[in-house]
Amino acid sequence: MRNSAFLAFGIGLLILQSNLHWIIDRIRSGTTPNLLLPLVLFMGVHEYSIARGAALSFTLGYLLDVFAAAPVGLFTSISVATFFVSRLAGVRLSAQTLLTKVALAFVFALFQGILVVVLTAILGNDPARARSLASVVPPDAIATAIL
């Protein structure tokens, strides 16, 4: 039941994120926060089962690939990697205060953005795309941390 609730909440966040992206594109801001990242971090930091967390991260990452029209597997692998790294960090960190949660979201949003840029540079055909993606990583990380 809890897995279904996480999946439904994640799908709702994906729908909200896609609509938010559409609105932000209309006002030409350019920064779209990743609303799934805090959910993946929550599962990793709060002693969620590794198998369930990896499966949910995989599913939500795949759905993000589909919603974002990204290459299949890009956000899937990044979401699973983010879950495992946050799981390792969860042993060391205690995300109890708001400041710690915001800092953790910012660091992992930067981590996720850097992984997207690196994988796009390695696997993509257009080298200019990776450079243009690199310019939006810090604003996206700030927007994700704020939300």
mmCIF file of all heavy atoms in Angstrom, residues 21-55:
data_model
loop_
_atom_site.group_PDB
_atom_site.id
_atom_site.type_symbol
_atom_site.label_atom_id
_atom_site.label_comp_id
_atom_site.label_asym_id
_atom_site.label_seq_id
_atom_site.Cartn_x
_atom_site.Cartn_y
_atom_site.Cartn_z
ATOM 1 N N HIS A 21 6.643 23.209 -15.988
ATOM 2 C CA HIS A 21 7.602 23.464 -17.066
ATOM 3 C C HIS A 21 6.936 24.242 -18.197
ATOM 4 O O HIS A 21 7.525 25.162 -18.765
ATOM 5 C CB HIS A 21 8.172 22.149 -17.589
ATOM 6 C CG HIS A 21 9.140 22.320 -18.710
ATOM 7 N ND1 HIS A 21 10.389 22.839 -18.515
ATOM 8 C CD2 HIS A 21 9.038 22.064 -20.031
ATOM 9 C CE1 HIS A 21 11.022 22.898 -19.667
ATOM 10 N NE2 HIS A 21 10.220 22.425 -20.600
ATOM 11 N N TRP A 22 5.711 23.894 -18.520
ATOM 12 C CA TRP A 22 4.986 24.591 -19.581
ATOM 13 C C TRP A 22 4.749 26.055 -19.206
ATOM 14 O O TRP A 22 4.939 26.953 -20.017
ATOM 15 C CB TRP A 22 3.650 23.884 -19.823
ATOM 16 C CG TRP A 22 2.867 24.462 -20.940
ATOM 17 C CD1 TRP A 22 3.054 24.256 -22.277
ATOM 18 C CD2 TRP A 22 1.765 25.366 -20.826
ATOM 19 N NE1 TRP A 22 2.141 24.970 -22.987
ATOM 20 C CE2 TRP A 22 1.330 25.660 -22.121
ATOM 21 C CE3 TRP A 22 1.107 25.942 -19.747
ATOM 22 C CZ2 TRP A 22 0.265 26.512 -22.377
ATOM 23 C CZ3 TRP A 22 0.047 26.784 -20.006
ATOM 24 C CH2 TRP A 22 -0.361 27.056 -21.301
ATOM 25 N N ILE A 23 4.393 26.303 -17.942
ATOM 26 C CA ILE A 23 4.161 27.678 -17.481
ATOM 27 C C ILE A 23 5.468 28.464 -17.465
ATOM 28 O O ILE A 23 5.523 29.617 -17.893
ATOM 29 C CB ILE A 23 3.503 27.668 -16.082
ATOM 30 C CG1 ILE A 23 2.086 27.127 -16.179
ATOM 31 C CG2 ILE A 23 3.517 29.058 -15.458
ATOM 32 C CD1 ILE A 23 1.449 26.830 -14.835
ATOM 33 N N ILE A 24 6.542 27.831 -16.998
ATOM 34 C CA ILE A 24 7.836 28.516 -16.922
ATOM 35 C C ILE A 24 8.359 28.834 -18.313
ATOM 36 O O ILE A 24 8.961 29.885 -18.540
ATOM 37 C CB ILE A 24 8.834 27.675 -16.107
ATOM 38 C CG1 ILE A 24 8.431 27.726 -14.636
ATOM 39 C CG2 ILE A 24 10.262 28.151 -16.287
ATOM 40 C CD1 ILE A 24 9.221 26.835 -13.740
ATOM 41 N N ASP A 25 8.131 27.947 -19.279
ATOM 42 C CA ASP A 25 8.533 28.234 -20.650
ATOM 43 C C ASP A 25 7.794 29.436 -21.208
ATOM 44 O O ASP A 25 8.323 30.179 -22.026
ATOM 45 C CB ASP A 25 8.289 27.023 -21.556
ATOM 46 C CG ASP A 25 9.459 26.071 -21.562
ATOM 47 O OD1 ASP A 25 10.513 26.432 -20.992
ATOM 48 O OD2 ASP A 25 9.320 24.975 -22.136
ATOM 49 N N ARG A 26 6.554 29.627 -20.791
ATOM 50 C CA ARG A 26 5.764 30.774 -21.269
ATOM 51 C C ARG A 26 6.309 32.092 -20.720
ATOM 52 O O ARG A 26 6.219 33.107 -21.388
ATOM 53 C CB ARG A 26 4.294 30.627 -20.885
ATOM 54 C CG ARG A 26 3.625 29.453 -21.517
ATOM 55 C CD ARG A 26 3.475 29.680 -23.012
ATOM 56 N NE ARG A 26 2.861 28.519 -23.604
ATOM 57 C CZ ARG A 26 3.366 27.862 -24.633
ATOM 58 N NH1 ARG A 26 4.482 28.244 -25.178
ATOM 59 N NH2 ARG A 26 2.753 26.823 -25.129
ATOM 60 N N ILE A 27 6.840 32.083 -19.499
ATOM 61 C CA ILE A 27 7.369 33.325 -18.936
ATOM 62 C C ILE A 27 8.870 33.460 -19.175
ATOM 63 O O ILE A 27 9.496 34.399 -18.742
ATOM 64 C CB ILE A 27 7.050 33.446 -17.434
ATOM 65 C CG1 ILE A 27 7.663 32.307 -16.634
ATOM 66 C CG2 ILE A 27 5.576 33.553 -17.203
ATOM 67 C CD1 ILE A 27 7.521 32.470 -15.141
ATOM 68 N N ARG A 28 9.462 32.473 -19.850
ATOM 69 C CA ARG A 28 10.851 32.491 -20.299
ATOM 70 C C ARG A 28 11.867 32.568 -19.159
ATOM 71 O O ARG A 28 12.872 33.242 -19.252
ATOM 72 C CB ARG A 28 11.092 33.640 -21.266
ATOM 73 C CG ARG A 28 10.084 33.711 -22.374
ATOM 74 C CD ARG A 28 10.747 33.814 -23.701
ATOM 75 N NE ARG A 28 9.780 34.082 -24.745
ATOM 76 C CZ ARG A 28 9.165 33.152 -25.439
ATOM 77 N NH1 ARG A 28 9.376 31.904 -25.174
ATOM 78 N NH2 ARG A 28 8.326 33.463 -26.390
ATOM 79 N N SER A 29 11.573 31.879 -18.095
ATOM 80 C CA SER A 29 12.508 31.847 -16.976
ATOM 81 C C SER A 29 13.618 30.830 -17.211
ATOM 82 O O SER A 29 14.778 31.083 -16.920
ATOM 83 C CB SER A 29 11.751 31.506 -15.693
ATOM 84 O OG SER A 29 12.645 31.234 -14.668
ATOM 85 N N GLY A 30 13.261 29.661 -17.694
ATOM 86 C CA GLY A 30 14.256 28.665 -18.050
ATOM 87 C C GLY A 30 14.610 27.668 -16.969
ATOM 88 O O GLY A 30 15.235 26.670 -17.244
ATOM 89 N N THR A 31 14.230 27.905 -15.734
ATOM 90 C CA THR A 31 14.583 26.963 -14.674
ATOM 91 C C THR A 31 13.344 26.183 -14.269
ATOM 92 O O THR A 31 12.311 26.748 -13.939
ATOM 93 C CB THR A 31 15.131 27.690 -13.436
ATOM 94 O OG1 THR A 31 14.139 28.564 -12.942
ATOM 95 C CG2 THR A 31 16.370 28.469 -13.782
ATOM 96 N N THR A 32 13.458 24.874 -14.325
ATOM 97 C CA THR A 32 12.364 24.008 -13.901
ATOM 98 C C THR A 32 12.868 23.101 -12.791
ATOM 99 O O THR A 32 13.815 22.344 -13.002
ATOM 100 C CB THR A 32 11.849 23.152 -15.071
ATOM 101 O OG1 THR A 32 11.463 24.007 -16.140
ATOM 102 C CG2 THR A 32 10.657 22.322 -14.645
ATOM 103 N N PRO A 33 12.272 23.166 -11.625
ATOM 104 C CA PRO A 33 12.725 22.297 -10.537
ATOM 105 C C PRO A 33 12.336 20.845 -10.800
ATOM 106 O O PRO A 33 11.328 20.562 -11.439
ATOM 107 C CB PRO A 33 12.002 22.854 -9.313
ATOM 108 C CG PRO A 33 10.804 23.530 -9.855
ATOM 109 C CD PRO A 33 11.191 24.055 -11.208
ATOM 110 N N ASN A 34 13.147 19.943 -10.298
ATOM 111 C CA ASN A 34 12.843 18.520 -10.386
ATOM 112 C C ASN A 34 12.073 18.144 -9.133
ATOM 113 O O ASN A 34 12.634 18.051 -8.048
ATOM 114 C CB ASN A 34 14.137 17.712 -10.496
ATOM 115 C CG ASN A 34 13.884 16.246 -10.702
ATOM 116 O OD1 ASN A 34 12.764 15.771 -10.626
ATOM 117 N ND2 ASN A 34 14.950 15.517 -10.960
ATOM 118 N N LEU A 35 10.788 17.921 -9.269
ATOM 119 C CA LEU A 35 9.948 17.644 -8.113
ATOM 120 C C LEU A 35 10.058 16.205 -7.629
ATOM 121 O O LEU A 35 9.659 15.899 -6.509
ATOM 122 C CB LEU A 35 8.486 17.981 -8.440
ATOM 123 C CG LEU A 35 8.215 19.438 -8.800
ATOM 124 C CD1 LEU A 35 6.743 19.642 -9.109
ATOM 125 C CD2 LEU A 35 8.656 20.367 -7.696
ATOM 126 N N LEU A 36 10.608 15.314 -8.453
ATOM 127 C CA LEU A 36 10.786 13.925 -8.028
ATOM 128 C C LEU A 36 12.007 13.740 -7.133
ATOM 129 O O LEU A 36 12.070 12.790 -6.367
ATOM 130 C CB LEU A 36 10.932 13.008 -9.243
ATOM 131 C CG LEU A 36 9.668 12.616 -9.952
ATOM 132 C CD1 LEU A 36 9.980 11.669 -11.086
ATOM 133 C CD2 LEU A 36 8.682 11.994 -9.012
ATOM 134 N N LEU A 37 12.970 14.630 -7.246
ATOM 135 C CA LEU A 37 14.203 14.483 -6.482
ATOM 136 C C LEU A 37 13.965 14.429 -4.974
ATOM 137 O O LEU A 37 14.509 13.551 -4.308
ATOM 138 C CB LEU A 37 15.191 15.591 -6.842
ATOM 139 C CG LEU A 37 16.532 15.531 -6.142
ATOM 140 C CD1 LEU A 37 17.305 14.296 -6.590
ATOM 141 C CD2 LEU A 37 17.333 16.775 -6.430
ATOM 142 N N PRO A 38 13.149 15.307 -4.385
ATOM 143 C CA PRO A 38 12.916 15.189 -2.939
ATOM 144 C C PRO A 38 12.266 13.868 -2.539
ATOM 145 O O PRO A 38 12.557 13.332 -1.471
ATOM 146 C CB PRO A 38 11.995 16.372 -2.622
ATOM 147 C CG PRO A 38 12.276 17.359 -3.692
ATOM 148 C CD PRO A 38 12.578 16.547 -4.916
ATOM 149 N N LEU A 39 11.420 13.309 -3.400
ATOM 150 C CA LEU A 39 10.803 12.024 -3.092
ATOM 151 C C LEU A 39 11.839 10.905 -3.098
ATOM 152 O O LEU A 39 11.853 10.053 -2.202
ATOM 153 C CB LEU A 39 9.680 11.720 -4.095
ATOM 154 C CG LEU A 39 8.889 10.448 -3.879
ATOM 155 C CD1 LEU A 39 8.131 10.510 -2.559
ATOM 156 C CD2 LEU A 39 7.930 10.229 -5.029
ATOM 157 N N VAL A 40 12.734 10.919 -4.081
ATOM 158 C CA VAL A 40 13.798 9.914 -4.148
ATOM 159 C C VAL A 40 14.746 10.082 -2.958
ATOM 160 O O VAL A 40 15.175 9.095 -2.350
ATOM 161 C CB VAL A 40 14.551 10.009 -5.493
ATOM 162 C CG1 VAL A 40 15.771 9.112 -5.512
ATOM 163 C CG2 VAL A 40 13.623 9.656 -6.641
ATOM 164 N N LEU A 41 15.059 11.318 -2.609
ATOM 165 C CA LEU A 41 15.910 11.560 -1.435
ATOM 166 C C LEU A 41 15.238 11.081 -0.154
ATOM 167 O O LEU A 41 15.888 10.511 0.722
ATOM 168 C CB LEU A 41 16.239 13.047 -1.311
ATOM 169 C CG LEU A 41 17.206 13.619 -2.321
ATOM 170 C CD1 LEU A 41 17.359 15.115 -2.106
ATOM 171 C CD2 LEU A 41 18.534 12.931 -2.227
ATOM 172 N N PHE A 42 13.949 11.317 -0.036
ATOM 173 C CA PHE A 42 13.217 10.864 1.152
ATOM 174 C C PHE A 42 13.303 9.356 1.298
ATOM 175 O O PHE A 42 13.535 8.838 2.392
ATOM 176 C CB PHE A 42 11.754 11.311 1.069
ATOM 177 C CG PHE A 42 10.909 10.807 2.201
ATOM 178 C CD1 PHE A 42 10.916 11.452 3.425
ATOM 179 C CD2 PHE A 42 10.113 9.684 2.044
ATOM 180 C CE1 PHE A 42 10.156 10.992 4.478
ATOM 181 C CE2 PHE A 42 9.342 9.209 3.087
ATOM 182 C CZ PHE A 42 9.363 9.873 4.312
ATOM 183 N N MET A 43 13.118 8.643 0.190
ATOM 184 C CA MET A 43 13.190 7.185 0.251
ATOM 185 C C MET A 43 14.597 6.715 0.611
ATOM 186 O O MET A 43 14.763 5.730 1.323
ATOM 187 C CB MET A 43 12.768 6.576 -1.090
ATOM 188 C CG MET A 43 11.291 6.700 -1.362
ATOM 189 S SD MET A 43 10.738 5.814 -2.829
ATOM 190 C CE MET A 43 11.688 6.552 -4.129
ATOM 191 N N GLY A 44 15.619 7.420 0.146
ATOM 192 C CA GLY A 44 16.984 7.017 0.433
ATOM 193 C C GLY A 44 17.430 7.335 1.841
ATOM 194 O O GLY A 44 18.091 6.532 2.495
ATOM 195 N N VAL A 45 17.065 8.486 2.341
ATOM 196 C CA VAL A 45 17.548 8.936 3.646
ATOM 197 C C VAL A 45 16.767 8.305 4.796
ATOM 198 O O VAL A 45 17.323 8.039 5.851
ATOM 199 C CB VAL A 45 17.483 10.479 3.723
ATOM 200 C CG1 VAL A 45 17.775 10.987 5.116
ATOM 201 C CG2 VAL A 45 18.452 11.089 2.738
ATOM 202 N N HIS A 46 15.505 8.009 4.612
ATOM 203 C CA HIS A 46 14.664 7.555 5.711
ATOM 204 C C HIS A 46 14.525 6.045 5.800
ATOM 205 O O HIS A 46 13.443 5.526 6.065
ATOM 206 C CB HIS A 46 13.285 8.198 5.618
ATOM 207 C CG HIS A 46 13.303 9.631 6.004
ATOM 208 N ND1 HIS A 46 13.544 10.636 5.108
ATOM 209 C CD2 HIS A 46 13.146 10.232 7.205
ATOM 210 C CE1 HIS A 46 13.515 11.794 5.727
ATOM 211 N NE2 HIS A 46 13.280 11.578 7.003
ATOM 212 N N GLU A 47 15.620 5.324 5.610
ATOM 213 C CA GLU A 47 15.676 3.882 5.865
ATOM 214 C C GLU A 47 14.580 3.103 5.146
ATOM 215 O O GLU A 47 14.002 2.174 5.667
ATOM 216 C CB GLU A 47 15.600 3.605 7.376
ATOM 217 C CG GLU A 47 16.711 4.211 8.174
ATOM 218 C CD GLU A 47 18.089 3.720 7.770
ATOM 219 O OE1 GLU A 47 18.236 2.543 7.412
ATOM 220 O OE2 GLU A 47 19.016 4.537 7.798
ATOM 221 N N TYR A 48 14.267 3.509 3.923
ATOM 222 C CA TYR A 48 13.316 2.784 3.099
ATOM 223 C C TYR A 48 14.005 1.537 2.556
ATOM 224 O O TYR A 48 15.216 1.531 2.367
ATOM 225 C CB TYR A 48 12.853 3.707 1.962
ATOM 226 C CG TYR A 48 11.576 3.304 1.300
ATOM 227 C CD1 TYR A 48 10.377 3.340 1.990
ATOM 228 C CD2 TYR A 48 11.560 2.881 -0.016
ATOM 229 C CE1 TYR A 48 9.204 2.970 1.384
ATOM 230 C CE2 TYR A 48 10.387 2.508 -0.627
ATOM 231 C CZ TYR A 48 9.213 2.558 0.079
ATOM 232 O OH TYR A 48 8.051 2.187 -0.526
ATOM 233 N N SER A 49 13.280 0.468 2.293
ATOM 234 C CA SER A 49 13.858 -0.773 1.806
ATOM 235 C C SER A 49 14.629 -0.532 0.505
ATOM 236 O O SER A 49 14.160 0.175 -0.384
ATOM 237 C CB SER A 49 12.753 -1.796 1.558
ATOM 238 O OG SER A 49 13.253 -2.896 0.841
ATOM 239 N N ILE A 50 15.817 -1.119 0.386
ATOM 240 C CA ILE A 50 16.664 -0.888 -0.780
ATOM 241 C C ILE A 50 15.999 -1.407 -2.047
ATOM 242 O O ILE A 50 15.986 -0.721 -3.072
ATOM 243 C CB ILE A 50 18.055 -1.516 -0.576
ATOM 244 C CG1 ILE A 50 18.795 -0.770 0.527
ATOM 245 C CG2 ILE A 50 18.862 -1.488 -1.865
ATOM 246 C CD1 ILE A 50 20.144 -1.347 0.861
ATOM 247 N N ALA A 51 15.435 -2.596 -1.999
ATOM 248 C CA ALA A 51 14.805 -3.170 -3.194
ATOM 249 C C ALA A 51 13.581 -2.349 -3.620
ATOM 250 O O ALA A 51 13.422 -2.031 -4.803
ATOM 251 C CB ALA A 51 14.393 -4.613 -2.926
ATOM 252 N N ARG A 52 12.749 -1.989 -2.675
ATOM 253 C CA ARG A 52 11.559 -1.193 -3.004
ATOM 254 C C ARG A 52 11.942 0.208 -3.467
ATOM 255 O O ARG A 52 11.370 0.740 -4.409
ATOM 256 C CB ARG A 52 10.635 -1.098 -1.801
ATOM 257 C CG ARG A 52 9.977 -2.384 -1.460
ATOM 258 C CD ARG A 52 9.072 -2.193 -0.277
ATOM 259 N NE ARG A 52 8.651 -3.487 0.242
ATOM 260 C CZ ARG A 52 8.217 -3.677 1.447
ATOM 261 N NH1 ARG A 52 8.148 -2.669 2.293
ATOM 262 N NH2 ARG A 52 7.857 -4.867 1.848
ATOM 263 N N GLY A 53 12.902 0.808 -2.779
ATOM 264 C CA GLY A 53 13.329 2.150 -3.158
ATOM 265 C C GLY A 53 13.963 2.182 -4.538
ATOM 266 O O GLY A 53 13.702 3.091 -5.328
ATOM 267 N N ALA A 54 14.791 1.185 -4.852
ATOM 268 C CA ALA A 54 15.413 1.127 -6.180
ATOM 269 C C ALA A 54 14.360 0.888 -7.252
ATOM 270 O O ALA A 54 14.413 1.492 -8.332
ATOM 271 C CB ALA A 54 16.470 0.038 -6.214
ATOM 272 N N ALA A 55 13.386 0.023 -6.965
ATOM 273 C CA ALA A 55 12.333 -0.249 -7.944
ATOM 274 C C ALA A 55 11.462 0.985 -8.182
ATOM 275 O O ALA A 55 11.133 1.318 -9.327
ATOM 276 C CB ALA A 55 11.477 -1.423 -7.481
#
